[in-house]
Amino acid sequence: MRFSKLFIPTLRETPSEAESVSHILMLRAGYVRQLAAGLYIYLPLGLRVIEKINKILREEMNAIGAQEITMPVLHPAEVWQETGRWDAIGDEMFRLKDRTGRDMCLGMTHEEIITWLASKEIRSYRDLPQIWYQIQTKLRDEARPKSGVLRTREFLMKDSYSFDIDEDGLEKSYQFHADAYHKIFSRCGLKFYMVESDPGMMGGATAHEFMAPSPAGEDEVALCDKCGYAANVELALSIPFEIETKNWVFEEIHTPEKRTVQEVSRFLNLKPEYFIKSILVISNNGPVLALVRGDQGLHEKKLSKIIGEHRPAHKDEVKEILGIEAGFIGPMNHKIRVVSDPCLKQGIYVSGTNKPHYHAKGIKPGKDFDAEWHDIHMAKSGDSCPKCNAPLRIEKAIEVGNIFRLGTKYSIPLKANYLDENGREIPIIMGSYGIGPARIAAAAIEQNYDKDGIIWPKSIAPFDVEILPLNMKDKNTVDIVEKLYQDLTEKGIEVLMDDRDERAGIKFKDADLIGIPIHIILGEKNLKEGLVEIKDRRTRETVRVTIQEVSEKVTERI
RNA sequence: CGGGGCGUAGCGCAGCCUGGUAGCGCACACGGUUCGGGACCGUGGUGUCGAAGGUUCAAAUCCUUUCGCCCCGACCA
């Protein structure tokens, strides 16, 4: 395509609302524009990238026998009420009424709809298995849209759903997806990990996420380079690093105005890992005291699995329930439920005494206090792998895809059953699998850019090559570029020709910003010698080749 | 939802503290010189100062309310 005929509004300066790399570059390079918080317009270049990604998605989904369909974005409330999610999901769901007053919502995902379809259409075990997918808009009223296209209120999702007769079948469908996803993200040029994840409100047994490592990511993953253990820190297990057991005798110490582990640790010149951190939370069944080691964070989600929903106690509640102000709470002598991380079973510690301005050294778990022992700490770097004991690494990452084993969570309430060989009615075993094309695009940028702009992986770049005729006033240049453009285009190569009557500097700057992987530079002087340059956007390596061989050399690189 | 920041020309920003009727750079239009890494000179157009209300002779500026956007946190199939 001709640059002069394409709408590519590049920006010299960074719009003030953008913070993350992908957001800044997508705006500056003219890929997207923002309509409102979490709502984006994809301009011609942006759409081309998304379409490239969608093409890869379709190819790989079709390859595992998945069939593309498309479902409405507007849903009647009834199906959502039948699965209970109409009430379970809060403000995140866009809700509305139609003209007759009927409750409706905008689809944030499509389990309900596809299961409704299955319940109507699937009769027999002979109809199974099935994998159905769509690439469709999802709407979620996010509490906080952020980082450009990474977290939006309206976005495209490739969502697929598998229907099987039993767990073995599900296992196969799940594996098909895991394999397809590996191919998809590899083809898109992403660095990624497949990690264990928390199924959350999707329900079901186990799940995995595909995570593209990047500082812009919202998630953290724990990784073991030795055995390959990989999990979202939401549920990652870890063995806390070991500490030497001190032979302290129980002793109370005056610690005036020293409340936090950090303060007391500095005051007593003892490392935080020799402390017991006591945190009071309020669950639906009353207050619970949670204990972790001083260097650890309390993992709210892990704790939720044990005591149910809870929230941190307010200051006055702490005083009321424990009779002591926060900062001097200790693990001893409580009538309420106490849950402690198992790493505290060993060793001798420092903690509060439940007396104002006093801490105690030499606290021995099991002897001085007792608790229910459950893993409630957050994995952190320095910890060891729960499987092989090698050091764990914690990395930030962007969630680009996920796969869930749903089981019968949706098929039972929506009565999606099939008849087996014996004529018995059995609920279909389901799986659900998602990928966000926009996140792939954003993650690709976050992982591939330099100070001048985007460096697209070849597979998802909006064009294969960009031709830069530096002087459009030179007739020779124009003749040659037109021929080259036609030649490459006829070979099926997607080329962007910067035919604007602009100065060379502007063309170079825009080309770097836009980030097409290969540039062909036609300079007047080189052309007189019958030469053109082929430049690699990533390495900036430039080779000069003859006009006759460009097209061949470029084809080799694509 | 809690905390913080910001809304002035298409974009980036100054002016606000200490009220006097809006400015700079880029972009844009025209003319000229330039032409391999966001050129230079000249000329020119561009604003409900986010909105509403109030104080005042006078409000971009002070006060109140409200809306929007961004960031941190909470939340997040």
Side-chain angles (χ1 to χ4, degrees):
Chain A
M1 301 226 29
R2 289 162 196 274
F3 202 123
S4 63
K5 302 270 188 317
L6 249 196
F7 183 57
I8 310 177
T10 60
L11 263 23
R12 189 188 294 247
E13 282 169 296
T14 302
S16 58
E17 78 263 16
E19 196 95 351
S20 67
V21 170
S22 59
H23 193 196
I24 290 171
L25 291 177
M26 279 180 161
L27 286 171
R28 285 198 54 208
Y31 284 78
V32 298
R33 287 288 110 109
Q34 185 182 31
L35 202 216
L39 298 175
Y40 285 82
I41 295 165
Y42 285 79
L43 301 178
L45 285 184
L47 220 211
R48 288 184 77 98
V49 171
I50 297 296
E51 291 300 340
K52 286 273 176 87
I53 294 167
N54 288 350
K55 182 162 180 276
I56 293 173
L57 292 173
R58 289 195 167 97
E59 286 170 5
E60 296 301 338
M61 291 312 295
N62 294 344
I64 61 168
Q67 305 153 73
E68 185 168 6
I69 63 171
T70 184
M71 292 177 274
V73 165
L74 184 61
H75 303 175
E78 288 79 32
V79 241
W80 286 84
Q81 285 160 347
E82 280 170 47
T83 62
R85 286 161 115 194
W86 179 261
D87 295 315
I89 296 172
D91 294 338
E92 208 181 328
M93 188 189 284
F94 283 107
R95 295 161 207 259
L96 64 158
K97 287 184 196 296
D98 71 8
R99 63 204 302 160
T100 67
R102 185 187 191 193
D103 281 320
M104 313 283 287
C105 66
L106 301 180
M108 42 195 302
T109 174
H110 283 78
E111 279 79 14
E112 275 75 3
I113 309 306
I114 203 135
T115 311
W116 176 91
L117 212 214
S119 75
K120 294 281 182 257
E121 304 303 330
I122 291 177
R123 299 271 94 91
S124 154
Y125 69 96
R126 294 174 200 272
D127 298 330
L128 297 172
Q130 294 285 344
I131 299 175
W132 296 337
Y133 79 99
Q134 65 173 348
I135 298 178
Q136 175 65 293
T137 301
K138 304 287 186 251
L139 290 125
R140 297 180 188 176
D141 196 357
E142 289 286 348
R144 181 147 100 87
K146 57 186 280 202
S147 306
V149 123
L150 278 175
R151 185 162 213 92
T152 54
R153 294 194 289 177
E154 175 175 326
F155 58 98
L156 220 49
M157 183 190 271
K158 185 290 300 173
D159 46 324
S160 44
Y161 305 88
S162 64
F163 303 90
D164 284 282
I165 57 169
D166 56 18
E167 289 292 335
D168 285 352
L170 170 60
E171 199 43 48
K172 277 185 199 132
S173 298
Y174 195 80
Q175 203 49 53
F176 277 144
H177 277 87
D179 293 345
Y181 276 32
H182 274 93
K183 287 184 186 145
I184 288 165
F185 298 121
S186 301
R187 285 183 63 185
C188 289
L190 290 186
K191 186 178 177 218
F192 67 95
Y193 309 110
M194 174 170 150
V195 309
E196 292 176 21
S197 70
D198 186 338
M201 93 182 213
M202 281 300 302
T206 54
H208 287 87
E209 286 166 337
F210 288 78
M211 292 290 198
S214 156
E218 295 184 86
D219 289 276
E220 287 188 322
V221 293
L223 302 163
C224 173
D225 292 324
K226 191 168 165 216
C227 76
Y229 177 73
N232 193 311
V233 292
E234 281 175 9
L235 51 46
L237 302 176
S238 75
I239 304 166
F241 62 87
E242 281 192 36
I243 55 170
E244 183 194 337
T245 299
K246 305 281 188 187
N247 54 353
W248 296 327
V249 211
F250 191 89
E251 165 195 9
E252 287 193 357
I253 303 167
H254 189 47
T255 50
E257 301 300 330
K258 303 288 182 280
R259 291 179 169 80
T260 65
V261 167
Q262 202 185 9
E263 285 166 356
V264 185
S265 144
R266 201 173 301 149
F267 182 71
L268 299 177
N269 197 22
L270 288 171
K271 291 191 173 147
E273 51 265 34
Y274 288 102
F275 287 74
I276 295 172
K277 201 188 270 182
S278 315
I279 301 142
L280 185 68
V281 301
I282 310 292
S283 78
N284 293 336
N285 299 316
V288 177
L289 191 66
L291 308 178
V292 292
R293 213 169 69 185
D295 60 310
Q296 296 175 333
L298 171 65
H299 198 302
E300 312 253 344
K301 281 200 177 160
K302 286 182 181 173
L303 186 60
S304 290
K305 283 187 187 144
I306 299 151
I307 65 164
E309 271 184 52
H310 64 276
R311 58 166 175 85
H314 303 302
K315 271 185 187 162
D316 44 330
E317 287 173 326
V318 174
K319 193 124 196 204
E320 192 182 314
I321 295 161
L322 302 176
I324 177 71
E325 65 176 293
F328 305 106
I329 307 172
M332 298 87 76
N333 306 320
H334 294 296
K335 295 198 184 77
I336 62 170
R337 191 172 176 192
V338 179
V339 178
S340 171
D341 192 83
C343 80
L344 292 174
K345 267 187 181 171
Q346 304 296 322
I348 294 194
Y349 297 90
V350 178
S351 189
T353 49
N354 302 316
K355 269 182 13 191
H357 308 289
Y358 276 91
H359 280 77
K361 196 171 162 184
I363 297 173
K364 196 160 191 261
K367 174 170 159 273
D368 293 313
F369 70 93
D370 209 358
E372 298 169 45
W373 306 96
H374 295 284
D375 179 346
I376 54 169
H377 71 270
M378 195 115 61
K380 60 181 190 119
S381 60
D383 286 358
S384 299
C385 173
K387 294 215 167 124
C388 75
N389 216 31
L392 275 185
R393 203 151 51 81
I394 308 285
E395 213 170 329
K396 282 207 150 199
I398 298 165
E399 182 186 351
V400 286
N402 50 35
I403 54 181
F404 295 97
R405 292 185 180 90
L406 295 177
T408 55
K409 173 166 174 163
Y410 298 92
S411 49
I412 289 178
L414 290 168
K415 301 182 183 65
N417 303 320
Y418 69 92
L419 293 180
D420 71 3
E421 299 94 319
N422 306 312
R424 276 184 313 175
E425 201 165 76
I426 298 182
I428 300 171
I429 308 296
M430 292 176 54
S432 151
Y433 319 85
I435 287 182
R439 281 195 176 174
I440 292 182
I445 294 174
E446 297 284 350
Q447 292 183 350
N448 302 281
Y449 70 95
D450 63 19
K451 65 171 175 44
D452 291 312
I454 303 170
I455 306 171
W456 287 112
K458 284 176 184 159
S459 55
I460 61 173
F463 290 92
D464 298 321
V465 294
E466 175 168 349
I467 311 180
L468 289 78
L470 297 185
N471 184 2
M472 288 300 284
K473 291 199 181 79
D474 176 49
K475 186 163 181 303
N476 188 35
T477 303
V478 174
D479 288 347
I480 293 169
V481 81
E482 285 293 344
K483 215 184 288 165
L484 179 59
Y485 175 67
Q486 203 180 341
D487 187 22
L488 291 173
T489 305
E490 275 166 12
K491 284 186 168 173
I493 294 171
E494 294 179 339
V495 7
L496 175 64
M497 171 171 67
D498 193 346
D499 60 336
R500 295 175 301 170
D501 184 15
E502 289 287 359
R503 301 165 56 83
I506 289 178
K507 295 193 179 187
F508 283 129
K509 288 288 181 190
D510 274 346
D512 285 347
L513 236 198
I514 290 167
I516 293 164
I518 299 168
H519 299 167
I520 302 173
I521 300 160
L522 307 194
E524 223 178 315
K525 271 190 213 152
N526 280 327
L527 287 180
K528 278 190 185 131
E529 298 169 38
L531 298 172
V532 303
E533 288 164 286
I534 301 174
K535 181 170 144 191
D536 183 305
R537 169 65 183 86
R538 187 182 299 273
T539 62
R540 292 167 189 276
E541 201 177 61
T542 304
V543 294
R544 293 207 294 174
V545 301
T546 65
I547 295 169
Q548 292 73 34
E549 62 184 354
V550 213
S551 135
E552 187 193 332
K553 294 279 182 197
V554 165
T555 313
E556 284 169 15
R557 292 180 177 227
I558 288 168

